[in-house]
Amino acid sequence: KQEVTQIPAALSVPEGENLVLNCSFTDSAIYNLQWFRQDPGKGLTSLLLIQSSQREQTSGRLNASLDKSSGRSTLYIAASQPGDSATYLCAVPGRSNYQLIWGAGTKLIIKP
Amino acid sequence: GAGVSQSPRYKVAKRGQDVALRCDPISGHVSLFWYQQALGQGPEFLTYFQNEAQLDKSGLPSDRFFAERPEGSVSTLKIQRTQQEDSAVYLCASSLGAGVIGDTQYFGPGTRLTVL
């Protein structure tokens, strides 16, 4: 059974720092991995999707990497800003194409 | 509307009451998903619709939970005889394709259900 773990559960850093969020999964036979952002009361927003054949994806100050063999993905946020404060979740497909298996998330606070 | 909407945003129910949660997906989206998210946890899959057909309800935790999408657009998640363990945020998502791997799911803001 696929399990997704995110470490740390919470992170507080000063504005401007670069930071890394971690996601690990137990079954390396995944089609892709997604990173989402969740803001209180605003649902989830997809940030990046990495296909299994890719090693990384970039969008602005965000860079996500994928190492299937080790069952790990990282989300790198450069030059963090207070507006980056949110909970970041990673998810991989489950037993069906449409099911997503989620980590519990990392709650990120960027201090001005 | 531009996105997925859900109503009500907040619902407080007494134990034993029935509740109905509504989801309006993005117009034209074939797939619709319901998730349950407990405090401090990631979402957990409840059920999946492709148009009006409920293709997967394996995540529904008990027979007190029922979902429908009769005309292939709006969906309702109904919980009968609510229990305290049903307290959670219920998220709805829709996607354009029919069960396509990697198809972006667009999420609504969720309904926070509190059962007293």
Side-chain angles (χ1 to χ4, degrees):
Chain A
K1 178 185 173 184
Q2 177 73 272
E3 292 183 1
V4 180
T5 304
Q6 291 187 247
I7 296 174
L11 183 62
S12 180
V13 300
E15 179 179 6
E17 284 198 5
N18 303 324
L19 54 97
V20 174
L21 307 181
N22 297 292
C23 172
S24 61
F25 44 94
T26 54
D27 185 349
S28 61
I30 60 171
Y31 288 106
N32 57 53
L33 183 143
Q34 294 189 66
W35 282 93
F36 290 81
R37 169 180 173 144
Q38 186 169 32
D39 293 277
K42 293 187 178 180
L44 289 142
T45 303
S46 180
L47 297 173
L48 290 165
L49 183 151
I50 313 175
Q51 300 291 352
S52 60
S53 57
Q54 297 174 317
R55 291 192 64 84
E56 63 178 55
Q57 276 282 356
T58 298
S59 175
R61 294 181 294 106
L62 304 180
N63 176 277
S65 67
L66 175 64
D67 184 344
K68 280 183 57 178
S69 61
S70 66
R72 298 172 66 176
S73 176
T74 61
L75 179 66
Y76 176 83
I77 303 177
S80 58
Q81 303 171 358
D84 296 331
S85 298
T87 297
Y88 292 81
L89 298 101
C90 63
V92 297
R95 59 178 179 82
S96 302
N97 295 346
Y98 46 83
Q99 278 197 24
L100 291 176
I101 309 296
W102 300 76
T106 295
K107 184 175 182 179
L108 177 63
I109 298 174
I110 307 298
K111 297 175 288 186
Chain B
V4 179
S5 60
Q6 292 185 244
S7 61
R9 294 292 311 279
Y10 303 91
K11 177 69 178 179
V12 178
K14 292 183 179 178
R15 191 163 64 97
Q17 282 185 334
D18 298 348
V19 298
L21 312 180
R22 177 187 169 107
C23 172
D24 284 80
I26 294 173
S27 178
H29 277 197
V30 169
S31 295
L32 185 144
F33 310 83
W34 283 98
Y35 293 89
Q36 180 189 59
Q37 186 175 24
L39 187 64
Q41 301 297 315
E44 293 206 2
F45 171 82
L46 293 178
T47 187
Y48 164 62
F49 288 87
Q50 189 177 114
N51 295 308
E52 70 279 1
Q54 188 176 21
L55 298 188
D56 189 338
K57 54 182 182 179
S58 62
L60 295 177
S62 78
D63 59 6
R64 295 186 296 105
F65 286 71
F66 172 77
E68 60 182 4
R69 193 186 185 197
E71 298 179 358
S73 55
V74 171
S75 177
T76 303
L77 176 67
K78 298 179 180 178
I79 309 173
Q80 298 176 324
R81 304 181 303 282
T82 52
Q83 304 294 317
Q84 285 188 324
E85 61 263 29
D86 299 336
S87 296
V89 175
Y90 291 85
L91 296 166
C92 175
S94 69
S95 67
L96 182 61
V100 177
I101 293 177
D103 202 13
T104 299
Q105 295 186 23
Y106 297 87
F107 284 80
T111 295
R112 181 177 296 277
L113 173 65
T114 302
V115 181
L116 303 177

